Amino acid sequence: MLAHNPASSLKTIVTAFFIMILLLYIYSSYSSTRRSTLEKVQSVDTKGKAKTSTEDKVRAQHIVNTMQTTFYRYRERAWGYDDIMPVSGGHRNSRNGWGAFIVDTSTTLALMGLWDELQLSVDYIVNNIDFTRSKSLVDPFETTIRYLGALVSLTDLIDSGVIPSTVLPEGSRDAILAQAVTLGNKLAPSYDSPTGMLWPRVNFTSELPAPDPPPLDPQSEEKPHYLNPAINPARAGSNFLENYGLSRLSKITDYITNATRAWSHLVWNGNPEEWPGIVEGPIDIFTARPVGSQRSWDGSHDSYYEYLNKAYILASTKDPNAVIYRERWIQAAESLRTYLSSRATLFSDPEKGRLFIANYDNGQYINEMGHLAHFAAGNLILGGRRVGREDLVSFGIELLETAHHSYNSTLTGIGPERVAWTPATRGYSNPTREPDDEAQKEKHRRDGYLITDPAYHLRPEYVESLFYAWRITGKQKYKDWAWDAYLAVENTCRAEFGYTGIKDVTKREAGENLEDESESFWGAETLKYLYLIFADSDVGSLDDWVYTTEAHPIRIIG
């Protein structure tokens, strides 16, 4: 049986010496540049006007009302289940049945000051969730970002006074942390690979790691099959923030040790990098070698690059690796701009030639961009300002203009799941996505891009980037754009039992256009970022908190 807490002996033999040498190598150069505190990143304009205007207070309250509607419809129809089905009023379990909505949205309730709702959620978290049991295999990536991150963040929010001591019953803080420790221990076997990289699944009953379950790994000719389990960079590289916080709070170093090993083969990449800082995937978890040549800042790769930036911010005064995280993020951001960004073909209106970021797979340039990739704009703005690279801030702002255009140019005012464009730069003469009917051709002529997937799943990435843009630049237009997006979603996605994804952002009609789906990130991320744009700018300040990929704030402690 594999050991799992602390890490397995095999994993230790393979990786510990490697990491120890690297730490010794970088420590001397890092210690001379290490600072006791980070410089402030929020705009002087927003910090100087920390108290919001009357209009902003009204808008913030509208968003709070939407969160309350979401919460109470869920409580009435789906309490204890992972998700509500907002059209039919049904429910489902998609995240092991621990009540994903309750846990994932708890930090939003805290930041909004919804104390009655938070009390209900914390009571359920402490008294009704058993993280030692699951009827199905557990996905360590989703469980870390949705559950573990929320529990760590809740503890930080209590310790910092964001949640007043009078709100929750005595002992709640320690009970929440105990749940986080239990979950962290149950996730430990997922790190038991020869390289320390995460297995795709873990069995909480046997306490053994597992490959993808059969439903996700069909024996078909179309799906690639590998000798060993393989994961994409986001799975290997999206554990640091949550486990850093858990180790700090629990004083148990195993969690951050495992998370550091999990992405060490990406950060200190032993494989050739044609584009500096850009790693290839999928990656064999036994050898740490890529079994494909996908390169991207889009889904399955995105949060690895997000966490390089944020790990530097969170750990810069404590972790000698932080300088490496900083430099690797800069490399990746520069390569994103050089190799994956492209401007759309210019039409009669020069403004139509906007900047997009593409994907690369086995030598083929894929001129398609997902909604998930809109996170990059905010990450570049945050990271660029943190490291003093205003050229990267400008790059992020231009990508945000593209995201805004994708929202502003649809009939509903909501951006689609995926878009494509005709590249005008970089010499890409053979793009893989082109208009295939008259409607797409007309859209392409009119707006400079075409829609390849018209759905909207209540995703947060656009408003997430607006949050960073507003807090860091202080420009009013980003608040205006956020309000437009909120109204568009409010008017289009409202259903009888909450808010739902839609099938087609180009259609205003409700009815069959409603998807009857609502994942927990709607309350955990989308509504949280919208609220923070209009709340006092000292609420969840970027000078005090780092937000995980699921928008759970973790305290920056110098």
Side-chain angles (χ1 to χ4, degrees):
M1 181 173 176
L2 289 170
H4 52 79
N5 198 4
S8 70
S9 58
L10 176 60
K11 181 169 62 180
T12 302
I13 292 170
V14 172
T15 61
F17 179 76
F18 169 70
I19 294 176
M20 185 183 303
I21 294 299
L22 285 166
L23 289 174
L24 290 171
Y25 174 77
I26 66 172
Y27 185 77
S28 59
S29 63
Y30 180 76
S31 59
S32 63
T33 60
R34 189 172 173 179
R35 294 173 298 174
S36 60
T37 58
L38 282 168
E39 294 178 4
K40 302 298 185 184
V41 71
Q42 285 207 160
S43 167
V44 173
D45 289 342
T46 57
K47 288 296 286 185
K49 300 184 297 184
K51 300 305 177 184
T52 57
S53 66
T54 300
E55 181 182 54
D56 283 348
K57 289 180 180 179
V58 170
R59 291 179 171 184
Q61 186 58 50
H62 276 291
I63 297 163
V64 169
N65 294 344
T66 297
M67 183 65 214
Q68 288 181 301
T69 297
T70 299
F71 180 89
Y72 283 110
R73 296 295 85 75
Y74 166 84
R75 178 163 170 75
E76 292 165 7
R77 308 289 297 205
W79 190 250
Y81 291 88
D82 292 334
D83 308 305
I84 189 170
M85 301 172 71
V87 176
S88 64
H91 46 68
R92 63 172 189 154
N93 283 327
S94 60
R95 306 294 171 200
N96 301 97
W98 292 316
F101 176 92
I102 296 171
V103 183
D104 208 10
T105 62
S106 61
T107 59
T108 302
L109 301 176
L111 289 172
M112 289 182 174
L114 292 174
W115 308 133
D116 291 343
E117 294 83 355
L118 182 63
Q119 288 168 2
L120 292 169
S121 293
V122 168
D123 178 73
Y124 189 89
I125 289 168
V126 169
N127 296 311
N128 294 91
I129 299 178
D130 183 358
F131 283 120
T132 67
R133 298 182 180 183
S134 175
K135 293 180 180 179
S136 57
L137 292 175
V138 176
D139 181 339
F141 169 75
E142 294 288 353
T143 303
T144 294
I145 66 173
R146 299 193 195 221
Y147 289 108
L148 187 63
L151 297 171
V152 170
S153 179
L154 268 181
T155 309
D156 263 351
L157 290 166
I158 293 170
D159 288 350
S160 67
V162 172
I163 301 173
S165 59
T166 56
V167 168
L168 299 175
E170 185 177 356
S172 294
R173 182 264 187 202
D174 291 343
I176 293 167
L177 180 57
Q179 285 284 54
V181 168
T182 296
L183 184 56
N185 291 341
K186 295 297 289 187
L187 288 170
S190 61
Y191 295 94
D192 281 330
S193 71
T195 61
M197 300 180 83
L198 281 170
W199 282 75
R201 296 292 186 273
V202 61
N203 187 319
F204 273 20
T205 301
S206 67
E207 298 191 334
L208 291 172
D212 280 335
L216 299 179
D217 188 21
Q219 298 298 316
S220 65
E221 294 297 326
E222 292 78 15
K223 182 177 176 65
H225 295 274
Y226 309 113
L227 178 63
N228 301 313
I231 61 175
N232 280 311
R235 285 186 171 270
S238 305
N239 311 282
F240 185 93
L241 302 183
E242 296 85 353
N243 284 285
Y244 183 92
L246 182 57
S247 281
R248 170 172 52 78
L249 290 165
S250 68
K251 297 180 172 55
I252 300 171
T253 59
D254 290 343
Y255 309 117
I256 189 57
T257 298
N258 284 341
T260 302
R261 285 173 176 153
W263 75 345
S264 64
H265 294 280
L266 282 66
V267 177
W268 296 276
N269 191 4
N271 301 300
E273 286 182 358
E274 184 179 357
W275 303 346
I278 301 293
V279 298
E280 293 188 329
I283 305 161
D284 185 318
I285 68 170
F286 285 17
T287 67
R289 294 177 180 172
V291 292
S293 59
Q294 298 169 8
R295 306 172 194 171
S296 174
W297 270 50
D298 211 322
S300 299
H301 297 242
D302 44 2
S303 49
Y304 162 62
Y305 301 107
E306 176 187 1
Y307 273 32
L308 283 175
N309 174 16
K310 293 179 176 180
Y312 160 68
I313 297 169
L314 185 65
S316 64
T317 64
K318 301 288 186 181
D319 188 342
N321 293 332
V323 69
I324 299 298
Y325 302 149
R326 175 187 185 274
E327 294 308 311
R328 288 292 280 170
W329 179 81
I330 292 172
Q331 283 183 329
E334 290 176 339
S335 288
L336 172 67
R337 181 175 58 190
T338 302
Y339 300 108
L340 283 173
S341 69
S342 83
R343 201 167 295 284
T345 302
L346 296 175
F347 294 89
S348 56
D349 183 356
E351 290 298 313
K352 300 293 175 64
R354 299 182 184 275
L355 193 66
F356 294 83
I357 52 177
N359 297 279
Y360 175 94
D361 188 0
N362 195 29
Q364 188 173 40
Y365 175 82
I366 302 171
N367 56 315
E368 190 173 34
M369 179 177 178
H371 195 288
L372 291 168
H374 290 323
F375 95 95
N379 193 251
L380 289 161
I381 294 168
L382 173 67
R385 183 58 56 86
R386 278 289 188 197
V387 303
R389 288 289 301 271
E390 290 304 308
D391 60 319
L392 296 179
V393 174
S394 297
F395 179 28
I397 287 172
E398 189 161 8
L399 289 174
L400 185 52
E401 294 278 349
T402 297
H404 173 245
H405 180 58
S406 75
Y407 270 65
N408 197 44
S409 57
T410 69
L411 198 61
T412 57
I414 300 172
E417 180 71 1
R418 300 195 71 80
V419 301
W421 67 98
T422 300
T425 56
R426 311 263 184 250
Y428 300 123
S429 58
N430 192 25
T432 59
R433 300 288 185 267
E434 295 180 342
D436 55 15
D437 58 38
E438 284 305 314
Q440 284 194 342
K441 289 177 182 178
E442 173 56 29
K443 173 73 175 174
H444 193 262
R445 284 191 295 268
R446 184 179 69 249
D447 297 320
Y449 73 94
L450 59 101
I451 294 174
T452 55
D453 183 347
Y456 174 66
H457 301 296
L458 301 175
R459 292 202 189 278
E461 292 78 19
Y462 171 54
V463 296
E464 171 187 355
S465 286
L466 290 175
F467 163 68
Y468 286 108
W470 158 245
R471 287 289 183 96
I472 291 170
T473 73
K475 292 187 177 179
Q476 176 65 33
K477 70 176 181 179
Y478 300 124
K479 297 175 85 170
D480 296 338
W481 292 358
W483 186 244
D484 290 342
Y486 167 73
L487 290 178
V489 172
E490 176 72 29
N491 292 333
T492 306
C493 300
R494 182 74 181 261
E496 184 176 355
F497 303 103
Y499 294 81
T500 182
I502 59 174
K503 299 175 184 177
D504 192 336
V505 298
T506 69
K507 297 178 180 178
R508 281 205 181 112
E509 301 81 8
E512 293 184 359
N513 200 31
L514 301 180
E515 279 279 27
D516 203 15
E517 64 167 21
S518 181
E519 287 208 48
S520 61
F521 56 69
W522 159 244
E525 299 185 69
T526 309
L527 290 176
K528 181 185 282 120
Y529 285 126
L530 281 166
Y531 171 77
L532 289 172
I533 290 169
F534 298 101
D536 291 352
S537 59
D538 55 355
V539 177
S541 170
L542 292 173
D543 296 327
D544 302 320
W545 302 88
V546 169
Y547 290 84
T548 69
T549 196
E550 195 75 6
H552 298 303
I554 308 294
R555 264 209 301 182
I556 301 171
I557 298 180

